[in-house]
Amino acid sequence: MRVHKVTFAALIVAASLSLTACQSDDGGTGKSDSSSGSTAASSGGGSGSGASDGGSGQGGANDSAGTSGKNGGTNSAGKSSGGQDTAAGTGSAGSGKAGKCRTDELEITATDSTVSGDPEGTVAVRLKNRGGRDCTLSGYAGVDLKTNAGSLSANRTGEKADRTVLKDGQSTYFGIQYPINRTGGSGVRITGLLVTPPDETKTVTLAWPGAATLPATEDSASSVKVGPMGSAGQGG
């Protein structure tokens, strides 16, 4: 009986130990699962890491952009920027879009261009581009003669006015026609020439290079005419 009791006690102890071992194993398994869950979260954090990687990817993109900005990217940005500048420059030059010529950019002079035997006198006015850039002239200049009887405005000839592109250093001319005083009288004395380039308001005052006087007749004023840009020597 004692043997049975001892055996039973031994069995109880063994069972108890076995149960403890099982619980210990289960607890270990639980911990292991928990650890697995952490790993999965870490993996999902890996997704978060992926976000982090994505962030890393963004950081990488930023780094790449930064690298682009500093090294090859600077070149890339430089090329892009330079390309735009170049394209703009080329477009501007290619399209021939030059701004209008300003009075201050032009060297304006006048010379007597009357041909012997002509019924009328002619003065040629030269406009030379000194602005350091291409510019355009189109239409008619404003022309006034200063006389001892007051200012006299020239009338336009009515010829077609073409657009002229002047490169830096180039010139264009227009003509002024006026009646020659053959009356034998003193006539109307011309004291100066006022020229205002097309589409400008600033006027240049020049010495008058033509005949000293106009005939003192009523139609003298209407007989002074100005031609468009490029018309010197062409009837105006």
Side-chain angles (χ1 to χ4, degrees):
M1 186 67 168
R2 181 177 180 160
V3 172
H4 287 294
K5 285 182 180 179
V6 171
T7 304
F8 184 73
L11 286 172
I12 290 173
V13 170
S16 175
L17 289 174
S18 174
L19 180 60
T20 301
C22 286
Q23 288 175 348
S24 174
D25 288 343
D26 289 342
T29 306
K31 289 179 183 177
S32 175
D33 290 343
S34 174
S35 176
S36 292
S38 287
T39 307
S42 179
S43 253
S47 288
S49 257
S52 179
D53 290 343
S56 212
Q58 290 174 356
N62 290 336
D63 290 343
S64 176
T67 304
S68 272
K70 293 181 183 175
N71 302 321
T74 290
N75 295 339
S76 174
K79 285 179 184 176
S80 175
S81 177
Q84 289 175 357
D85 289 342
T86 303
T90 304
S92 178
S95 61
K97 290 184 179 177
K100 68 179 181 180
C101 299
R102 301 289 184 181
T103 302
D104 290 337
E105 296 176 312
L106 298 169
E107 179 185 308
I108 304 175
T109 55
T111 56
D112 183 12
S113 295
T114 304
V115 177
S116 180
D118 279 359
E120 295 178 313
T122 302
V123 166
V125 179
R126 182 183 75 165
L127 296 90
K128 185 172 185 178
N129 181 5
R130 290 293 197 184
R133 67 178 181 95
D134 293 359
C135 65
T136 62
L137 284 171
S138 177
Y140 289 77
V143 171
D144 293 279
L145 300 187
K146 292 171 67 178
T147 76
N148 60 342
S151 183
L152 184 157
S153 295
N155 295 314
R156 296 179 178 182
T157 59
E159 297 172 73
K160 181 182 177 183
D162 293 323
R163 178 174 174 269
T164 301
V165 177
L166 280 186
K167 293 189 177 297
D168 186 38
Q170 287 187 337
S171 300
T172 189
Y173 298 78
F174 68 86
I176 302 169
Q177 287 183 326
Y178 63 95
I180 297 174
N181 182 14
R182 293 189 174 94
T183 63
S186 59
V188 178
R189 186 165 51 89
I190 304 172
T191 60
L193 171 63
L194 304 176
V195 176
T196 308
D199 300 319
E200 278 291 275
T201 56
K202 188 172 182 179
T203 300
V204 173
T205 302
L206 305 172
W208 174 251
T213 62
L214 298 173
T217 58
E218 292 183 3
D219 64 345
S220 288
S222 61
S223 296
V224 179
K225 295 184 179 180
V226 56
M229 293 294 118
S231 65
Q234 299 174 14

